[in-house]
Amino acid sequence: TCSFSHSPKGFPKLKNDTFLRAARGEETEHTPVWCMRQAGRYLPEFRETRAAQDFFATCRSPKLCCELTLQPLRRFPLDAAIIFSDILVVPQALGMEVVMVPGKGPTFTEPLKEVEDLLKLRQKVDVTAELGYVFQAITLTRHSLEGRVPLIGFSGAPWTLMSYMIEGGGSSTMAKAKSWLYRHPEASHQLLRLLADVIIDYLVGQVAAGAQALQLFESHAGHLGPEQFQEFALPYIRDIAQAVKSKLKEEALPLVPMIIFAKDAHYALSDLAHAGYEVVGLDWTIRPQEARAQTGKDVTLQGNLDPCALYAPKEKIGELVKKMLEAFGTQRYIANLGHGLYPDMNPENVGAFVEAVHAHSRHINKH
């Protein structure tokens, strides 16, 4: 249950630190595993908890976020929890209105159309005032986990958030957002800088609230080519890691491992490995051996089973997991999917995935 049984901040002792050890490059007995979107619509109990609530109202309720974060852990022996929230809470903190439209997804009522629209955004954001509900959810969940596994906090990265703010929702081409990069490079950098500054404070606030690791989602990296990624995404990704770490030091907060997940950015793997993150997340379109070759020995890799592999029969999932573990190696590695779980997936198959990672990695480590 999600209630404070301990004094705030006197967090329970962590019992399973496998995920954190792997993230830091230390040896582990088994390969840790968690799933992006593990708190999600594929679980009937999630749909039940969410049924009566508006999506963003759910995000603003620490109690509900806590409940949804814990649901997958009641079913599966996952090695980490990730706080239930959404990347679009950051544009909301900047003063933009986002609503969840059934069948369509998140929609901005007034997307950014002209450069002048940047003036409508809050130029100075007090993250505690605007996003304090996420911090409360993290603190409550960290207590309620009772030290079972570490809790991951997260944010969207600047380019991904910018693309939503201009497109007004999902898009297959991101043409409106990309046109800004070509037509208004200065204004684009102004917006990306504003986003990065809020994200830095937001991530530091999550650690202060109890997050034990952080993941930055550059989900729309694949819409950029190498040059645009180099100019409009990578500098901010680097800056966020550096600034978060120096602020954590300044505020005497724990230096938590950070994960960068830039979907479809194969061309940037080597740069991402040197961007200041302990872990580089991978989507399913890259070969494990190639990823290792490009990222070198000093980062942990996370990923990258095709989410659709979970539609396969359980035996097949076991075989695919074994192959993946053999390709990545069981150390300096965190098993995950190459993207999030889809709503129509069978929870039993998710369980089969988690168990296969533990069983096969233990077996490989013994022999």
Side-chain angles (χ1 to χ4, degrees):
T1 58
C2 298
S3 61
F4 281 110
S5 51
H6 312 262
S7 63
K9 294 285 191 286
F11 293 125
K13 191 172 169 346
L14 186 58
K15 298 176 191 126
N16 169 6
D17 66 348
T18 315
F19 163 80
L20 295 178
R21 292 214 320 274
R24 292 192 295 255
E26 297 163 19
E27 210 172 306
T28 60
E29 282 169 36
H30 68 265
T31 296
V33 55
W34 67 280
C35 299
M36 290 186 267
R37 292 195 186 256
Q38 64 190 28
R41 287 176 296 174
Y42 72 101
L43 290 175
E45 58 268 37
F46 177 96
R47 294 195 294 272
E48 228 162 88
T49 309
R50 278 266 304 104
Q53 287 279 351
D54 163 70
F55 178 81
F56 286 107
T58 304
C59 290
R60 285 189 282 272
S61 159
K63 242 186 150 85
L64 285 174
C65 290
C66 174
E67 166 59 25
L68 295 170
T69 302
L70 294 183
Q71 282 177 353
L73 293 160
R74 294 189 192 121
R75 278 186 186 246
F76 316 118
L78 294 152
D79 292 289
I82 183 166
I83 193 67
F84 175 82
S85 187
D86 195 88
I87 64 171
L88 298 181
V89 299
V90 170
Q92 287 176 332
L94 288 167
M96 294 188 81
E97 194 190 354
V98 192
V99 293
M100 196 54 86
V101 177
K104 190 183 167 203
T107 307
F108 285 75
T109 48
E110 291 180 47
L112 305 173
K113 290 198 171 71
E114 304 303 327
V115 169
E116 297 74 60
D117 294 341
L118 293 182
L119 300 171
K120 295 181 194 164
L121 300 174
R122 278 193 190 103
Q123 302 305 306
K124 274 271 169 272
V125 174
D126 173 346
V127 291
T128 309
E130 300 301 329
L131 295 166
Y133 60 88
V134 180
F135 302 155
Q136 288 167 8
I138 287 172
T139 303
L140 179 59
T141 306
R142 173 88 186 264
H143 282 296
S144 303
L145 275 166
E146 296 178 326
R148 204 175 343 168
V149 293
L151 179 60
I152 304 170
F154 71 89
S155 174
W159 155 249
T160 295
L161 295 178
M162 169 183 172
S163 64
Y164 272 115
M165 291 159 76
I166 294 171
E167 296 291 340
S171 155
S172 58
T173 59
M174 297 290 155
K176 287 182 191 149
K178 286 175 71 178
S179 81
W180 272 53
L181 305 181
Y182 287 105
R183 288 168 35 229
H184 313 302
E186 289 81 16
S188 296
H189 278 298
Q190 197 188 326
L191 173 55
L192 291 161
R193 181 72 262 159
L194 177 64
L195 282 161
D197 290 341
V198 177
I199 290 162
I200 290 161
D201 289 343
Y202 180 44
L203 290 173
V204 171
Q206 290 185 49
V207 176
Q212 290 153 289
L214 297 168
Q215 178 155 314
L216 190 68
F217 284 87
E218 189 71 280
S219 312
H220 295 167
H223 290 278
L224 301 177
E227 283 79 18
Q228 283 189 310
F229 187 84
Q230 236 17 77
E231 187 182 345
F232 296 104
L234 189 62
Y236 299 97
I237 288 171
R238 278 192 188 124
D239 186 49
I240 288 167
Q242 204 184 345
V244 166
K245 287 177 177 180
S246 71
K247 288 200 175 195
L248 290 175
K249 274 200 190 108
E250 267 166 48
E251 298 181 27
L253 289 165
L255 278 177
V256 303
M258 295 178 71
I259 308 165
I260 175 66
F261 176 59
K263 191 170 177 294
D264 295 319
H266 313 124
Y267 49 78
L269 278 182
S270 161
D271 287 326
L272 290 166
H274 297 99
Y277 295 77
E278 285 69 25
V279 184
V280 175
L282 304 166
D283 62 78
W284 68 92
T285 62
I286 184 106
R287 291 187 178 88
Q289 295 88 337
E290 273 174 39
R292 280 277 184 219
Q294 287 186 51
T295 54
K297 301 251 182 303
D298 298 326
V299 296
T300 293
L301 295 179
Q302 174 178 283
N304 73 339
L305 191 72
D306 181 351
C308 291
L310 296 190
Y311 293 122
K314 288 183 199 164
E315 306 68 62
K316 178 74 175 158
I317 294 172
E319 286 165 35
L320 293 167
V321 164
K322 182 169 180 271
K323 217 168 112 185
M324 179 169 85
L325 285 160
E326 285 165 351
F328 278 108
T330 57
Q331 301 298 322
R332 262 212 178 277
Y333 174 54
I334 296 161
N336 204 318
L337 304 172
H339 201 215
L341 286 160
Y342 302 142
D344 63 348
M345 284 176 167
N346 181 346
E348 283 188 20
N349 290 24
V350 178
F353 167 65
V354 173
E355 276 152 38
V357 171
H358 287 161
H360 288 297
S361 62
R362 281 202 174 95
H363 183 80
I364 293 169
N365 286 343
K366 274 203 187 86
H367 300 277

